[in-house]
Short mmCIF file of all heavy atoms in Angstrom, two decimals:
data_model
loop_
_atom_site.label_atom_id
_atom_site.label_comp_id
_atom_site.label_asym_id
_atom_site.label_seq_id
_atom_site.Cartn_x
_atom_site.Cartn_y
_atom_site.Cartn_z
N MET A 1 20.13 -58.90 17.42
CA MET A 1 21.27 -58.29 16.79
C MET A 1 21.64 -57.04 17.56
O MET A 1 20.80 -56.20 17.84
CB MET A 1 20.92 -57.96 15.35
CG MET A 1 22.05 -57.36 14.60
SD MET A 1 21.56 -57.26 12.87
CE MET A 1 22.99 -56.54 12.23
N SER A 2 22.92 -56.94 17.86
CA SER A 2 23.41 -55.81 18.64
C SER A 2 24.51 -55.08 17.87
O SER A 2 25.38 -55.70 17.25
CB SER A 2 23.97 -56.33 19.97
OG SER A 2 24.58 -55.27 20.67
N ILE A 3 24.47 -53.77 17.89
CA ILE A 3 25.46 -52.96 17.20
C ILE A 3 26.45 -52.44 18.23
O ILE A 3 26.06 -51.85 19.23
CB ILE A 3 24.81 -51.80 16.45
CG1 ILE A 3 23.87 -52.33 15.37
CG2 ILE A 3 25.85 -50.88 15.85
CD1 ILE A 3 23.09 -51.26 14.66
N ASP A 4 27.71 -52.66 17.98
CA ASP A 4 28.77 -52.13 18.83
C ASP A 4 29.07 -50.71 18.36
O ASP A 4 29.86 -50.49 17.45
CB ASP A 4 30.01 -53.03 18.75
CG ASP A 4 31.08 -52.62 19.73
OD1 ASP A 4 30.86 -51.67 20.51
OD2 ASP A 4 32.16 -53.27 19.71
N TRP A 5 28.42 -49.74 19.00
CA TRP A 5 28.53 -48.35 18.56
C TRP A 5 29.93 -47.80 18.75
O TRP A 5 30.38 -46.95 17.97
CB TRP A 5 27.50 -47.48 19.28
CG TRP A 5 26.11 -47.79 18.84
CD1 TRP A 5 25.17 -48.52 19.50
CD2 TRP A 5 25.51 -47.40 17.60
NE1 TRP A 5 24.02 -48.60 18.76
CE2 TRP A 5 24.19 -47.92 17.57
CE3 TRP A 5 25.95 -46.68 16.50
CZ2 TRP A 5 23.33 -47.73 16.51
CZ3 TRP A 5 25.08 -46.48 15.44
CH2 TRP A 5 23.79 -47.00 15.45
N ALA A 6 30.62 -48.26 19.76
CA ALA A 6 31.99 -47.78 19.99
C ALA A 6 32.91 -48.22 18.85
O ALA A 6 33.72 -47.43 18.34
CB ALA A 6 32.52 -48.29 21.33
N ALA A 7 32.78 -49.46 18.43
CA ALA A 7 33.61 -49.96 17.33
C ALA A 7 33.22 -49.26 16.02
O ALA A 7 34.11 -48.92 15.22
CB ALA A 7 33.45 -51.46 17.19
N LEU A 8 31.94 -49.02 15.81
CA LEU A 8 31.50 -48.33 14.60
C LEU A 8 32.04 -46.90 14.57
O LEU A 8 32.50 -46.42 13.53
CB LEU A 8 29.97 -48.32 14.53
CG LEU A 8 29.36 -47.72 13.27
CD1 LEU A 8 29.77 -48.52 12.04
CD2 LEU A 8 27.85 -47.68 13.39
N GLY A 9 32.00 -46.24 15.71
CA GLY A 9 32.55 -44.89 15.79
C GLY A 9 34.05 -44.86 15.57
O GLY A 9 34.59 -43.95 14.94
N GLN A 10 34.73 -45.89 16.07
CA GLN A 10 36.17 -45.99 15.88
C GLN A 10 36.52 -46.19 14.40
O GLN A 10 37.43 -45.55 13.87
CB GLN A 10 36.69 -47.15 16.71
CG GLN A 10 38.13 -47.07 17.06
CD GLN A 10 38.50 -48.18 18.04
OE1 GLN A 10 37.83 -49.20 18.14
NE2 GLN A 10 39.58 -47.96 18.76
N VAL A 11 35.79 -47.04 13.73
CA VAL A 11 36.01 -47.26 12.29
C VAL A 11 35.72 -45.98 11.52
O VAL A 11 36.47 -45.62 10.61
CB VAL A 11 35.14 -48.43 11.78
CG1 VAL A 11 35.12 -48.49 10.27
CG2 VAL A 11 35.61 -49.75 12.37
N PHE A 12 34.66 -45.28 11.87
CA PHE A 12 34.33 -44.03 11.20
C PHE A 12 35.44 -43.00 11.40
O PHE A 12 35.86 -42.34 10.45
CB PHE A 12 33.00 -43.48 11.72
CG PHE A 12 32.67 -42.12 11.17
CD1 PHE A 12 32.22 -41.98 9.87
CD2 PHE A 12 32.83 -40.99 11.94
CE1 PHE A 12 31.93 -40.74 9.35
CE2 PHE A 12 32.54 -39.74 11.43
CZ PHE A 12 32.08 -39.61 10.13
N GLY A 13 35.93 -42.87 12.62
CA GLY A 13 36.98 -41.88 12.91
C GLY A 13 38.27 -42.18 12.17
O GLY A 13 38.90 -41.28 11.59
N VAL A 14 38.69 -43.43 12.18
CA VAL A 14 39.92 -43.80 11.49
C VAL A 14 39.76 -43.62 9.98
O VAL A 14 40.66 -43.12 9.30
CB VAL A 14 40.33 -45.25 11.85
CG1 VAL A 14 41.45 -45.74 10.96
CG2 VAL A 14 40.73 -45.33 13.31
N SER A 15 38.61 -44.02 9.45
CA SER A 15 38.37 -43.86 8.01
C SER A 15 38.39 -42.39 7.60
O SER A 15 38.97 -42.03 6.57
CB SER A 15 37.03 -44.47 7.62
OG SER A 15 37.02 -45.84 7.88
N LEU A 16 37.78 -41.55 8.40
CA LEU A 16 37.76 -40.12 8.11
C LEU A 16 39.16 -39.53 8.15
O LEU A 16 39.56 -38.78 7.25
CB LEU A 16 36.84 -39.39 9.09
CG LEU A 16 36.67 -37.90 8.88
CD1 LEU A 16 35.95 -37.64 7.56
CD2 LEU A 16 35.92 -37.28 10.04
N ALA A 17 39.95 -39.89 9.17
CA ALA A 17 41.31 -39.36 9.31
C ALA A 17 42.20 -39.82 8.16
O ALA A 17 42.97 -39.03 7.59
CB ALA A 17 41.90 -39.79 10.65
N VAL A 18 42.11 -41.10 7.80
CA VAL A 18 42.94 -41.61 6.71
C VAL A 18 42.53 -40.98 5.38
O VAL A 18 43.39 -40.62 4.57
CB VAL A 18 42.86 -43.15 6.65
CG1 VAL A 18 43.48 -43.69 5.37
CG2 VAL A 18 43.54 -43.75 7.86
N THR A 19 41.25 -40.80 5.15
CA THR A 19 40.79 -40.20 3.90
C THR A 19 41.24 -38.75 3.79
O THR A 19 41.75 -38.34 2.73
CB THR A 19 39.25 -40.27 3.82
OG1 THR A 19 38.86 -41.63 3.89
CG2 THR A 19 38.74 -39.65 2.54
N VAL A 20 41.09 -37.98 4.83
CA VAL A 20 41.53 -36.58 4.80
C VAL A 20 43.04 -36.50 4.63
O VAL A 20 43.56 -35.68 3.86
CB VAL A 20 41.05 -35.84 6.07
CG1 VAL A 20 41.70 -34.48 6.19
CG2 VAL A 20 39.54 -35.70 6.06
N GLY A 21 43.77 -37.36 5.32
CA GLY A 21 45.22 -37.38 5.19
C GLY A 21 45.67 -37.76 3.79
O GLY A 21 46.58 -37.16 3.21
N PHE A 22 45.01 -38.77 3.22
CA PHE A 22 45.35 -39.24 1.88
C PHE A 22 45.11 -38.13 0.85
O PHE A 22 45.95 -37.88 -0.01
CB PHE A 22 44.52 -40.48 1.54
CG PHE A 22 44.83 -41.08 0.20
CD1 PHE A 22 45.93 -41.89 0.04
CD2 PHE A 22 44.01 -40.83 -0.88
CE1 PHE A 22 46.22 -42.45 -1.19
CE2 PHE A 22 44.30 -41.38 -2.11
CZ PHE A 22 45.41 -42.19 -2.27
N VAL A 23 43.97 -37.49 0.94
CA VAL A 23 43.65 -36.40 0.01
C VAL A 23 44.64 -35.25 0.18
O VAL A 23 45.09 -34.64 -0.79
CB VAL A 23 42.19 -35.94 0.18
CG1 VAL A 23 41.91 -34.65 -0.58
CG2 VAL A 23 41.24 -37.03 -0.25
N GLY A 24 45.00 -34.95 1.41
CA GLY A 24 45.97 -33.88 1.66
C GLY A 24 47.34 -34.18 1.07
O GLY A 24 47.97 -33.32 0.46
N VAL A 25 47.81 -35.41 1.25
CA VAL A 25 49.12 -35.79 0.71
C VAL A 25 49.08 -35.78 -0.82
O VAL A 25 50.02 -35.31 -1.46
CB VAL A 25 49.54 -37.18 1.26
CG1 VAL A 25 50.75 -37.72 0.52
CG2 VAL A 25 49.84 -37.08 2.74
N PHE A 26 48.01 -36.27 -1.41
CA PHE A 26 47.88 -36.26 -2.87
C PHE A 26 47.85 -34.83 -3.39
O PHE A 26 48.45 -34.51 -4.42
CB PHE A 26 46.64 -37.03 -3.30
CG PHE A 26 46.57 -37.28 -4.78
CD1 PHE A 26 47.34 -38.27 -5.35
CD2 PHE A 26 45.75 -36.52 -5.59
CE1 PHE A 26 47.30 -38.51 -6.73
CE2 PHE A 26 45.70 -36.75 -6.95
CZ PHE A 26 46.47 -37.75 -7.51
N THR A 27 47.16 -33.94 -2.68
CA THR A 27 47.11 -32.54 -3.07
C THR A 27 48.49 -31.90 -3.02
O THR A 27 48.85 -31.11 -3.89
CB THR A 27 46.13 -31.77 -2.16
OG1 THR A 27 44.84 -32.38 -2.26
CG2 THR A 27 46.04 -30.31 -2.55
N LEU A 28 49.27 -32.22 -1.99
CA LEU A 28 50.63 -31.70 -1.91
C LEU A 28 51.48 -32.21 -3.08
O LEU A 28 52.32 -31.48 -3.61
CB LEU A 28 51.28 -32.11 -0.59
CG LEU A 28 50.80 -31.37 0.65
CD1 LEU A 28 51.44 -31.96 1.90
CD2 LEU A 28 51.10 -29.89 0.54
N GLY A 29 51.25 -33.45 -3.48
CA GLY A 29 51.97 -33.99 -4.64
C GLY A 29 51.62 -33.25 -5.91
O GLY A 29 52.50 -32.92 -6.72
N ILE A 30 50.35 -32.98 -6.11
CA ILE A 30 49.94 -32.24 -7.31
C ILE A 30 50.49 -30.82 -7.27
O ILE A 30 50.97 -30.30 -8.28
CB ILE A 30 48.40 -32.24 -7.43
CG1 ILE A 30 47.91 -33.63 -7.77
CG2 ILE A 30 47.94 -31.23 -8.48
CD1 ILE A 30 46.42 -33.76 -7.81
N LEU A 31 50.45 -30.21 -6.12
CA LEU A 31 50.97 -28.85 -5.98
C LEU A 31 52.47 -28.81 -6.27
O LEU A 31 52.96 -27.90 -6.94
CB LEU A 31 50.70 -28.31 -4.58
CG LEU A 31 51.15 -26.89 -4.29
CD1 LEU A 31 50.34 -25.92 -5.14
CD2 LEU A 31 50.97 -26.59 -2.82
N GLY A 32 53.20 -29.81 -5.81
CA GLY A 32 54.64 -29.84 -6.03
C GLY A 32 55.02 -30.05 -7.48
O GLY A 32 56.03 -29.52 -7.95
N THR A 33 54.23 -30.82 -8.20
CA THR A 33 54.56 -31.06 -9.61
C THR A 33 54.04 -29.96 -10.53
O THR A 33 54.51 -29.84 -11.65
CB THR A 33 54.00 -32.41 -10.10
OG1 THR A 33 52.60 -32.44 -9.89
CG2 THR A 33 54.67 -33.56 -9.41
N SER A 34 53.11 -29.16 -10.07
CA SER A 34 52.55 -28.13 -10.94
C SER A 34 53.26 -26.79 -10.79
O SER A 34 52.90 -25.84 -11.49
CB SER A 34 51.06 -27.95 -10.66
OG SER A 34 50.88 -27.42 -9.37
N ARG A 35 54.22 -26.72 -9.92
CA ARG A 35 54.95 -25.46 -9.75
C ARG A 35 55.73 -25.12 -11.02
O ARG A 35 56.38 -25.96 -11.60
CB ARG A 35 55.93 -25.56 -8.58
CG ARG A 35 55.27 -25.63 -7.24
CD ARG A 35 55.11 -24.24 -6.75
NE ARG A 35 54.23 -24.22 -5.59
CZ ARG A 35 54.51 -23.54 -4.51
NH1 ARG A 35 55.64 -22.89 -4.41
NH2 ARG A 35 53.65 -23.51 -3.53
N LYS A 36 55.66 -23.88 -11.41
CA LYS A 36 56.42 -23.40 -12.57
C LYS A 36 57.62 -22.61 -12.06
O LYS A 36 57.58 -22.00 -11.00
CB LYS A 36 55.55 -22.48 -13.43
CG LYS A 36 54.32 -23.13 -13.96
CD LYS A 36 54.63 -23.86 -15.23
CE LYS A 36 53.36 -24.32 -15.88
NZ LYS A 36 53.29 -25.69 -16.18
N ALA A 37 58.67 -22.62 -12.82
CA ALA A 37 59.86 -21.86 -12.46
C ALA A 37 59.55 -20.37 -12.57
O ALA A 37 59.02 -19.91 -13.58
CB ALA A 37 61.02 -22.22 -13.37
N GLN A 38 59.88 -19.64 -11.53
CA GLN A 38 59.68 -18.20 -11.53
C GLN A 38 60.87 -17.54 -12.22
O GLN A 38 62.01 -17.88 -11.94
CB GLN A 38 59.56 -17.67 -10.10
CG GLN A 38 58.37 -18.23 -9.34
CD GLN A 38 57.05 -17.81 -9.95
OE1 GLN A 38 56.93 -16.72 -10.49
NE2 GLN A 38 56.07 -18.69 -9.87
N PRO A 39 60.64 -16.60 -13.11
CA PRO A 39 61.77 -15.94 -13.75
C PRO A 39 62.56 -15.13 -12.73
O PRO A 39 61.98 -14.45 -11.88
CB PRO A 39 61.12 -15.04 -14.80
CG PRO A 39 59.71 -14.89 -14.38
CD PRO A 39 59.37 -16.11 -13.57
N ALA A 40 63.87 -15.23 -12.83
CA ALA A 40 64.73 -14.47 -11.91
C ALA A 40 64.68 -12.99 -12.30
O ALA A 40 64.56 -12.63 -13.47
CB ALA A 40 66.15 -15.00 -11.98
N GLU A 41 64.78 -12.15 -11.27
CA GLU A 41 64.77 -10.71 -11.55
C GLU A 41 66.08 -10.32 -12.22
O GLU A 41 67.15 -10.81 -11.87
CB GLU A 41 64.62 -9.94 -10.24
CG GLU A 41 63.26 -10.11 -9.61
CD GLU A 41 63.12 -9.25 -8.37
OE1 GLU A 41 63.88 -8.29 -8.22
OE2 GLU A 41 62.24 -9.56 -7.56
N ALA A 42 65.97 -9.44 -13.17
CA ALA A 42 67.16 -8.98 -13.87
C ALA A 42 67.86 -7.94 -13.01
O ALA A 42 67.34 -6.87 -12.78
CB ALA A 42 66.78 -8.40 -15.23
N GLY A 43 69.00 -8.28 -12.53
CA GLY A 43 69.78 -7.35 -11.72
C GLY A 43 71.04 -6.95 -12.47
O GLY A 43 71.27 -7.37 -13.60
N PRO A 44 71.83 -6.14 -11.84
CA PRO A 44 73.07 -5.74 -12.51
C PRO A 44 73.99 -6.95 -12.67
O PRO A 44 74.17 -7.74 -11.75
CB PRO A 44 73.68 -4.69 -11.57
CG PRO A 44 73.02 -4.93 -10.26
CD PRO A 44 71.68 -5.54 -10.55
N GLY A 45 74.52 -7.11 -13.84
CA GLY A 45 75.43 -8.22 -14.11
C GLY A 45 74.71 -9.46 -14.61
O GLY A 45 75.34 -10.45 -14.90
N THR A 46 73.37 -9.44 -14.72
CA THR A 46 72.66 -10.58 -15.25
C THR A 46 72.63 -10.45 -16.77
O THR A 46 71.98 -9.59 -17.32
CB THR A 46 71.22 -10.63 -14.71
OG1 THR A 46 71.26 -10.67 -13.30
CG2 THR A 46 70.49 -11.85 -15.25
N THR A 47 73.40 -11.30 -17.43
CA THR A 47 73.48 -11.21 -18.88
C THR A 47 72.95 -12.45 -19.57
O THR A 47 72.68 -12.43 -20.74
CB THR A 47 74.94 -11.00 -19.31
OG1 THR A 47 75.72 -12.08 -18.80
CG2 THR A 47 75.47 -9.68 -18.78
N SER A 48 72.79 -13.53 -18.84
CA SER A 48 72.40 -14.78 -19.48
C SER A 48 71.05 -15.24 -18.94
O SER A 48 70.88 -15.41 -17.75
CB SER A 48 73.46 -15.84 -19.22
OG SER A 48 73.01 -17.09 -19.68
N THR A 49 70.09 -15.43 -19.85
CA THR A 49 68.80 -15.96 -19.41
C THR A 49 68.90 -17.44 -19.09
O THR A 49 68.12 -17.95 -18.30
CB THR A 49 67.73 -15.73 -20.49
OG1 THR A 49 68.18 -16.35 -21.69
CG2 THR A 49 67.49 -14.25 -20.72
N ALA A 50 69.86 -18.13 -19.69
CA ALA A 50 70.05 -19.54 -19.39
C ALA A 50 70.47 -19.73 -17.95
O ALA A 50 70.02 -20.65 -17.26
CB ALA A 50 71.09 -20.15 -20.33
N ARG A 51 71.35 -18.83 -17.46
CA ARG A 51 71.79 -18.93 -16.07
C ARG A 51 70.63 -18.66 -15.12
O ARG A 51 70.45 -19.33 -14.12
CB ARG A 51 72.93 -17.95 -15.82
CG ARG A 51 73.45 -18.03 -14.39
CD ARG A 51 74.60 -17.09 -14.17
NE ARG A 51 74.22 -15.74 -14.58
CZ ARG A 51 75.08 -14.74 -14.68
NH1 ARG A 51 76.35 -14.94 -14.46
NH2 ARG A 51 74.67 -13.55 -15.03
N ALA A 52 69.77 -17.70 -15.47
CA ALA A 52 68.62 -17.38 -14.62
C ALA A 52 67.62 -18.53 -14.60
O ALA A 52 67.08 -18.86 -13.54
CB ALA A 52 67.95 -16.10 -15.12
N SER A 53 67.38 -19.14 -15.74
CA SER A 53 66.43 -20.25 -15.75
C SER A 53 67.00 -21.48 -15.06
O SER A 53 66.27 -22.27 -14.47
CB SER A 53 66.02 -20.59 -17.18
OG SER A 53 67.12 -21.10 -17.90
N ALA A 54 68.32 -21.67 -15.11
CA ALA A 54 68.94 -22.80 -14.42
C ALA A 54 68.80 -22.65 -12.92
O ALA A 54 68.53 -23.61 -12.21
CB ALA A 54 70.40 -22.93 -14.82
N THR A 55 68.98 -21.43 -12.39
CA THR A 55 68.84 -21.25 -10.95
C THR A 55 67.39 -21.35 -10.52
O THR A 55 67.10 -21.84 -9.44
CB THR A 55 69.42 -19.88 -10.52
OG1 THR A 55 68.75 -18.85 -11.24
CG2 THR A 55 70.92 -19.83 -10.76
N ALA A 56 66.46 -20.92 -11.38
CA ALA A 56 65.04 -21.05 -11.04
C ALA A 56 64.63 -22.52 -11.07
O ALA A 56 63.85 -22.97 -10.24
CB ALA A 56 64.18 -20.25 -12.01
N GLY A 57 65.15 -23.28 -12.02
CA GLY A 57 64.84 -24.71 -12.10
C GLY A 57 65.45 -25.49 -10.96
O GLY A 57 64.89 -26.48 -10.49
N ALA A 58 66.63 -25.06 -10.49
CA ALA A 58 67.28 -25.75 -9.38
C ALA A 58 66.49 -25.57 -8.10
O ALA A 58 66.50 -26.44 -7.22
CB ALA A 58 68.70 -25.22 -9.21
N ALA A 59 65.78 -24.48 -7.98
CA ALA A 59 64.98 -24.25 -6.78
C ALA A 59 63.77 -25.17 -6.72
O ALA A 59 63.20 -25.40 -5.67
CB ALA A 59 64.52 -22.80 -6.71
N LEU A 60 63.36 -25.70 -7.87
CA LEU A 60 62.22 -26.61 -7.92
C LEU A 60 62.59 -28.05 -7.59
O LEU A 60 61.70 -28.89 -7.43
CB LEU A 60 61.56 -26.56 -9.30
CG LEU A 60 60.79 -25.28 -9.61
CD1 LEU A 60 60.26 -25.33 -11.01
CD2 LEU A 60 59.68 -25.06 -8.63
N GLY A 61 63.86 -28.37 -7.51
CA GLY A 61 64.29 -29.74 -7.24
C GLY A 61 63.68 -30.32 -5.99
O GLY A 61 63.08 -31.40 -6.03
N PRO A 62 63.81 -29.66 -4.84
CA PRO A 62 63.21 -30.22 -3.61
C PRO A 62 61.69 -30.34 -3.68
O PRO A 62 61.12 -31.27 -3.13
CB PRO A 62 63.63 -29.23 -2.53
CG PRO A 62 64.83 -28.55 -3.07
CD PRO A 62 64.65 -28.50 -4.56
N ALA A 63 61.05 -29.42 -4.38
CA ALA A 63 59.59 -29.49 -4.52
C ALA A 63 59.19 -30.72 -5.32
O ALA A 63 58.23 -31.42 -4.98
CB ALA A 63 59.05 -28.22 -5.18
N ARG A 64 59.93 -31.01 -6.38
CA ARG A 64 59.64 -32.19 -7.20
C ARG A 64 59.90 -33.47 -6.42
O ARG A 64 59.12 -34.41 -6.49
CB ARG A 64 60.49 -32.20 -8.46
CG ARG A 64 60.22 -31.07 -9.38
CD ARG A 64 59.23 -31.45 -10.40
NE ARG A 64 58.98 -30.25 -11.20
CZ ARG A 64 58.12 -30.20 -12.15
NH1 ARG A 64 57.44 -31.25 -12.46
NH2 ARG A 64 57.92 -29.09 -12.81
N VAL A 65 61.00 -33.50 -5.68
CA VAL A 65 61.32 -34.70 -4.89
C VAL A 65 60.24 -34.92 -3.83
O VAL A 65 59.79 -36.05 -3.62
CB VAL A 65 62.72 -34.56 -4.25
CG1 VAL A 65 62.98 -35.67 -3.26
CG2 VAL A 65 63.79 -34.55 -5.33
N GLY A 66 59.82 -33.86 -3.18
CA GLY A 66 58.75 -33.97 -2.19
C GLY A 66 57.44 -34.42 -2.81
O GLY A 66 56.69 -35.22 -2.23
N ALA A 67 57.15 -33.93 -4.01
CA ALA A 67 55.92 -34.32 -4.70
C ALA A 67 55.96 -35.80 -5.05
O ALA A 67 54.97 -36.52 -4.87
CB ALA A 67 55.74 -33.48 -5.96
N TYR A 68 57.10 -36.27 -5.54
CA TYR A 68 57.22 -37.68 -5.88
C TYR A 68 57.14 -38.55 -4.63
O TYR A 68 56.59 -39.65 -4.66
CB TYR A 68 58.51 -37.95 -6.65
CG TYR A 68 58.54 -37.28 -8.01
CD1 TYR A 68 59.73 -36.82 -8.54
CD2 TYR A 68 57.38 -37.10 -8.75
CE1 TYR A 68 59.76 -36.20 -9.79
CE2 TYR A 68 57.39 -36.49 -9.99
CZ TYR A 68 58.60 -36.04 -10.50
OH TYR A 68 58.62 -35.44 -11.73
N ALA A 69 57.65 -38.05 -3.51
CA ALA A 69 57.54 -38.78 -2.24
C ALA A 69 56.07 -38.87 -1.82
O ALA A 69 55.63 -39.90 -1.29
CB ALA A 69 58.38 -38.12 -1.17
N CYS A 70 55.32 -37.80 -2.03
CA CYS A 70 53.89 -37.81 -1.71
C CYS A 70 53.15 -38.84 -2.56
O CYS A 70 52.30 -39.59 -2.06
CB CYS A 70 53.28 -36.43 -1.92
SG CYS A 70 53.77 -35.21 -0.69
N PHE A 71 53.49 -38.89 -3.86
CA PHE A 71 52.84 -39.87 -4.72
C PHE A 71 53.23 -41.30 -4.34
O PHE A 71 52.41 -42.21 -4.41
CB PHE A 71 53.17 -39.60 -6.19
CG PHE A 71 52.51 -38.36 -6.74
CD1 PHE A 71 53.20 -37.51 -7.57
CD2 PHE A 71 51.20 -38.06 -6.42
CE1 PHE A 71 52.60 -36.37 -8.08
CE2 PHE A 71 50.58 -36.93 -6.92
CZ PHE A 71 51.28 -36.09 -7.75
N ALA A 72 54.47 -41.48 -3.92
CA ALA A 72 54.91 -42.82 -3.49
C ALA A 72 54.16 -43.23 -2.22
O ALA A 72 53.76 -44.39 -2.07
CB ALA A 72 56.41 -42.83 -3.24
N LEU A 73 53.94 -42.29 -1.32
CA LEU A 73 53.18 -42.58 -0.10
C LEU A 73 51.73 -42.94 -0.45
O LEU A 73 51.15 -43.87 0.12
CB LEU A 73 53.23 -41.40 0.86
CG LEU A 73 52.50 -41.56 2.18
CD1 LEU A 73 53.13 -42.69 3.00
CD2 LEU A 73 52.55 -40.27 2.96
N CYS A 74 51.15 -42.22 -1.39
CA CYS A 74 49.78 -42.53 -1.83
C CYS A 74 49.71 -43.92 -2.44
O CYS A 74 48.77 -44.68 -2.18
CB CYS A 74 49.30 -41.49 -2.83
SG CYS A 74 48.93 -39.90 -2.09
N ALA A 75 50.70 -44.27 -3.24
CA ALA A 75 50.72 -45.60 -3.86
C ALA A 75 50.87 -46.67 -2.79
O ALA A 75 50.24 -47.74 -2.88
CB ALA A 75 51.86 -45.69 -4.86
N ALA A 76 51.66 -46.40 -1.75
CA ALA A 76 51.82 -47.37 -0.66
C ALA A 76 50.51 -47.55 0.11
O ALA A 76 50.16 -48.68 0.50
CB ALA A 76 52.93 -46.92 0.28
N VAL A 77 49.78 -46.47 0.32
CA VAL A 77 48.49 -46.56 1.03
C VAL A 77 47.49 -47.37 0.20
O VAL A 77 46.76 -48.20 0.73
CB VAL A 77 47.95 -45.15 1.36
CG1 VAL A 77 46.51 -45.21 1.83
CG2 VAL A 77 48.82 -44.49 2.40
N VAL A 78 47.47 -47.14 -1.10
CA VAL A 78 46.56 -47.88 -1.98
C VAL A 78 46.93 -49.37 -1.98
O VAL A 78 46.06 -50.24 -1.89
CB VAL A 78 46.57 -47.30 -3.40
CG1 VAL A 78 45.87 -48.21 -4.38
CG2 VAL A 78 45.92 -45.92 -3.40
N ALA A 79 48.23 -49.66 -2.07
CA ALA A 79 48.67 -51.06 -2.06
C ALA A 79 48.32 -51.74 -0.75
O ALA A 79 47.90 -52.90 -0.72
CB ALA A 79 50.17 -51.14 -2.32
N TYR A 80 48.47 -51.02 0.36
CA TYR A 80 48.11 -51.57 1.67
C TYR A 80 46.61 -51.85 1.75
O TYR A 80 46.18 -52.88 2.26
CB TYR A 80 48.55 -50.62 2.79
CG TYR A 80 48.20 -51.12 4.16
CD1 TYR A 80 48.84 -52.24 4.69
CD2 TYR A 80 47.24 -50.49 4.94
CE1 TYR A 80 48.53 -52.70 5.96
CE2 TYR A 80 46.93 -50.94 6.20
CZ TYR A 80 47.58 -52.05 6.71
OH TYR A 80 47.26 -52.52 7.96
N GLY A 81 45.80 -50.94 1.22
CA GLY A 81 44.35 -51.14 1.22
C GLY A 81 43.94 -52.33 0.39
O GLY A 81 43.08 -53.12 0.78
N ILE A 82 44.59 -52.49 -0.78
CA ILE A 82 44.29 -53.67 -1.62
C ILE A 82 44.71 -54.94 -0.90
O ILE A 82 44.01 -55.95 -0.94
CB ILE A 82 44.96 -53.52 -2.99
CG1 ILE A 82 44.29 -52.41 -3.77
CG2 ILE A 82 44.95 -54.83 -3.76
CD1 ILE A 82 44.98 -52.05 -5.06
N ASN A 83 45.85 -54.88 -0.22
CA ASN A 83 46.32 -56.03 0.55
C ASN A 83 45.31 -56.41 1.66
O ASN A 83 45.07 -57.60 1.90
CB ASN A 83 47.70 -55.74 1.14
CG ASN A 83 48.28 -56.95 1.85
OD1 ASN A 83 48.00 -58.08 1.51
ND2 ASN A 83 49.11 -56.69 2.84
N LEU A 84 44.75 -55.42 2.30
CA LEU A 84 43.76 -55.70 3.35
C LEU A 84 42.50 -56.34 2.78
O LEU A 84 41.90 -57.21 3.39
CB LEU A 84 43.40 -54.41 4.10
CG LEU A 84 44.43 -53.87 5.06
CD1 LEU A 84 43.93 -52.55 5.65
CD2 LEU A 84 44.74 -54.85 6.17
N ILE A 85 42.10 -55.87 1.60
CA ILE A 85 40.87 -56.40 0.99
C ILE A 85 41.09 -57.82 0.50
O ILE A 85 40.24 -58.69 0.69
CB ILE A 85 40.41 -55.47 -0.16
CG1 ILE A 85 39.94 -54.14 0.41
CG2 ILE A 85 39.32 -56.14 -0.97
CD1 ILE A 85 39.68 -53.09 -0.63
N VAL A 86 42.23 -58.08 -0.13
CA VAL A 86 42.48 -59.39 -0.71
C VAL A 86 42.72 -60.43 0.37
O VAL A 86 42.27 -61.59 0.24
CB VAL A 86 43.68 -59.32 -1.69
CG1 VAL A 86 44.12 -60.70 -2.14
CG2 VAL A 86 43.31 -58.48 -2.89
N ALA A 87 43.39 -60.06 1.42
CA ALA A 87 43.73 -61.02 2.48
C ALA A 87 42.53 -61.43 3.24
O ALA A 87 41.67 -61.94 3.37
CB ALA A 87 44.70 -60.41 3.47
#
């Protein structure tokens, strides 16, 4: 019995890279969805708290979209892995 050390090292390297990347993308998704709206500073002419909260919430739009994209990428990686195992 002979062990192909080069192939084993290659599998280890790819597995490590994919795992670290997957965890990183999932972490970015969690970070994007856990962001809270920061209260706007009260400046001259600021009379409505609804307007301030609307502008703070609008700033979170791209963060939420990016977070959902991260979760979609994670779901695609999981589906691909299941496809590899089943096939």
Side-chain angles (χ1 to χ4, degrees):
M1 181 172 180
S2 174
I3 297 175
D4 186 2
W5 290 103
L8 184 62
Q10 203 172 22
V11 168
F12 174 75
V14 169
S15 298
L16 183 66
V18 169
T19 302
V20 169
F22 182 81
V23 170
V25 169
F26 191 77
T27 302
L28 286 175
I30 291 176
L31 181 66
T33 56
S34 67
R35 290 270 168 134
K36 301 275 189 234
Q38 298 295 327
E41 291 184 20
T46 303
T47 57
S48 172
T49 57
R51 181 178 53 190
S53 67
T55 57
L60 288 177
R64 296 267 177 182
V65 171
Y68 295 147
C70 289
F71 289 139
L73 181 63
C74 288
V77 168
V78 168
Y80 179 68
I82 291 172
N83 184 29
L84 286 177
I85 292 171
V86 171

